[in-house]
Amino acid sequence: MLSKQSILSKCYSTLLSDEASFAARLIEMKAFSTTAASASVEDDGIEIIQVYSHEISRKMLDTVKTRASSTVAASVVDAGTAPQTPSLKAAFTTTTSEDNSPTITES
């Protein structure tokens, strides 16, 4: 969904295949970690899937929005030069006040 034509790409453009693959792995790890942290014994499978799906959707949207705004900012700053592909690190850096899951960063 990040590297092919989709609803997201119509608004925010696509990512290169390698970049999309890297982003998808980070999104998956973050969604799994958030879901695991919020799951309780009383939750049934449907509630857990809903939390997981919500996290995946939210992080995908954050990723494409962050990349789109970074690309626009780079274009303005680097007027006359080709925009740099922004790092996906900004899309995955969260604070503990936002949620109780660990921060995922690039190595």
Side-chain angles (χ1 to χ4, degrees):
M1 232 177 142
L2 298 171
S3 65
K4 306 280 186 222
Q5 290 298 319
S6 68
I7 293 171
L8 288 177
S9 72
K10 288 181 183 179
C11 294
Y12 302 104
S13 80
T14 59
L15 278 66
L16 299 173
S17 183
D18 290 344
E19 187 180 18
S21 180
F22 178 76
R25 282 192 299 275
L26 289 176
I27 289 167
E28 180 89 17
M29 289 174 15
K30 179 70 175 170
F32 183 81
S33 133
T34 301
T35 302
S38 69
S40 71
V41 175
E42 294 90 32
D43 288 343
D44 64 4
I46 299 298
E47 291 175 34
I48 292 169
I49 290 170
Q50 287 175 335
V51 170
Y52 183 74
S53 296
H54 175 74
E55 279 302 308
I56 292 267
S57 299
R58 187 175 68 81
K59 290 309 286 179
M60 281 178 48
L61 189 56
D62 289 349
T63 299
V64 294
K65 281 183 173 181
T66 299
R67 185 177 183 281
S69 65
S70 296
T71 301
V72 168
S75 296
V76 170
V77 170
D78 298 332
T81 63
Q84 300 288 323
T85 302
S87 169
L88 291 172
K89 185 176 182 177
F92 293 97
T93 304
T94 60
T95 61
T96 53
S97 63
E98 183 180 329
D99 60 29
N100 292 328
S101 59
T103 301
I104 297 174
T105 60
E106 276 182 83
S107 301

